[in-house]
Amino acid sequence: MRLAQRTACSADAAVQRPGYARSRLSRGMVHIGLGAFHRAHQALYTEAAIHDGDTRWGIVGVSLREPRMARALTAQDCLYAVIERQGAEAKGRIVGALVQALYAPHALEQVTGAIADPAASVVTCTVTEKGYHRHPSTSDLDTSDPDIRHDLAHPDAPRSTLGVLAAGIRRRPSGAPLSIVCCDNMADNGDTLRKLLTQYASQVDPALARRIDDEVALPNTMVDRIVPAATPASLNWAQQRLGLRDEAAIVCEPFTQWVIEDRFAGARPAWEAGGALMTGDVRTFQAMKLRMLNGTHSAIAYAAQLCGIGTVAGAMADPVLGAFARGVMEDLLATVTAPPGYDVARYANALLCRLRNAAIAHHTAQIATDGTQKVPVRWLPALRESLAADIERPCLERALALWLHYLRCDTNERGEPLAASDPGAPPLAAALRGADSDTDAVRRALAHGAVFGDAPWPKHFRRRLAAHLTVLRERGAAALLSFPATT
Ligand code: CS2
């Protein structure tokens, strides 16, 4: 039997259900990017706020790219389950906060109408780093991007996040306060979205750009929860636990964190009910999380991909890769300023425990995607700062070599194909593959300003990187990572 409003009561008795009348919910919030992360993160904080009695915050969820999730959720009256797993423990709940699921290309009028509705005062976004169309070298709006070019030519029929937001705001009565909360893993994510959205809007209608600048609040946020993409296996496992088929079920870790800059226009859900921390300055939290969690994640992903290890927990259980992951985290920890009152060493230990959680299958192929977007945020600021202070970060530098090697290879060390999914990678991969030596490969890679910036990289660092590439090519990842014993 499929999960729906009518059948939810027959879910397994241990599964928590919405303890409020969903029919009373208004549509106070719109979310763009209806993936697993939103449904297991912001939607649950919103669910907690609703649970505390505030029925304004039903969520209109929007998918921009693929129809499957909106269709699956609509067939389930927008109900879905989140099951938290760690070790033998599993805790499930059915979430009721989502009230509508729209696929924008088929429901654009409804989507922009939902954003324009003055009853909605919050829009949240999870569209991945590349979903904002920031030009990698200039950090400005990438006006050469085909979606942006399309939207600038047809602002009333947009297909990009920026285009949809701008079209919705344009229809919104002026004076109705709005906050847009970016929940993607970018430094200064709210400020970045503000800049790109106003740049886009200024080309559509300068008055709209001014309005966004004056009236819309775009707080910065740090979001954290490990939410693997669903697989047939995770959906089947969820079905066993629920006693119902849920095509949108999520199996994720118990940990969750949301730190939000307290800068809103108008009302917002009391996300504190779900444990969100409102603060004046998110930056230290962001840097700590982006470097220590996401930075370590990416290093694990490329090492594991090269070695043919499918999951993060599998990599952590490998003696060489597990030790390497700890080393990367230590390298990154050394570059981090703790948020006030925070014990970063404890944070690091807790992260390592989370990464070892074998009850969730977090695929290294998923994390390895979009490296050209992720590496400049997760590794390069820490590397730059360290090199400027003449400090070598042995594990982090090896991580960078792994990524470059990964981009150079068609197959992993077991001879299985490596399929890098990263629209920004082809020019960098071509530069690497055209090199006539490892030194030349490093020179060509670091000259790729879209990822590595324009400032020169020190010679001793380039030499170390070239030596790492040689070890990788001749002796493989385990040899590079088993240092100092074997190198
Ligand atoms: C991961 C993140 O896929 C990735 O790149 O590093 O999705 C990570 O799981 C989350 O940011 C955890 O909060």
Side-chain angles (χ1 to χ4, degrees), residues 231-312:
T231 60
S234 74
L235 293 179
N236 290 340
W237 185 86
Q239 181 171 354
Q240 299 302 319
R241 300 299 295 205
L242 285 174
L244 291 168
R245 181 68 183 177
D246 174 3
E247 294 295 342
I250 294 163
V251 180
C252 66
E253 65 169 349
F255 181 89
T256 180
Q257 189 176 22
W258 197 6
V259 184
I260 309 169
E261 191 180 11
D262 202 354
R263 186 154 57 86
F264 281 75
R268 63 162 175 85
W271 287 315
E272 296 92 329
L277 175 68
M278 308 304 294
T279 169
D281 188 1
V282 169
R283 243 166 292 178
T284 45
F285 285 98
Q286 257 182 351
M288 177 180 77
K289 188 265 174 173
L290 290 172
R291 291 184 189 194
M292 292 177 60
L293 191 163
N294 297 111
T296 307
H297 245 174
S298 289
I300 294 170
Y302 298 117
Q305 281 291 293
L306 286 169
C307 297
I309 299 178
T311 64
V312 173

Side-chain angles (χ1 to χ4, degrees), residues 37 41 129 183-185 222-228 253 255 257 289-290 293-298 301-302 312 354-355 362-370 374 378:
F37 186 73
H41 190 272
E129 298 89 332
C183 300
D184 280 294
N185 284 320
M222 180 270 250
V223 290
D224 191 7
R225 176 165 241 188
I226 294 176
V227 187
E253 65 169 349
F255 181 89
Q257 189 176 22
K289 188 265 174 173
L290 290 172
L293 191 163
N294 297 111
T296 307
H297 245 174
S298 289
Y302 298 117
V312 173
R354 292 169 60 197
L355 298 177
H362 198 192
H363 289 280
T364 55
Q366 183 187 347
I367 304 167
T369 60
D370 295 336
K374 293 174 177 175
R378 300 175 177 200

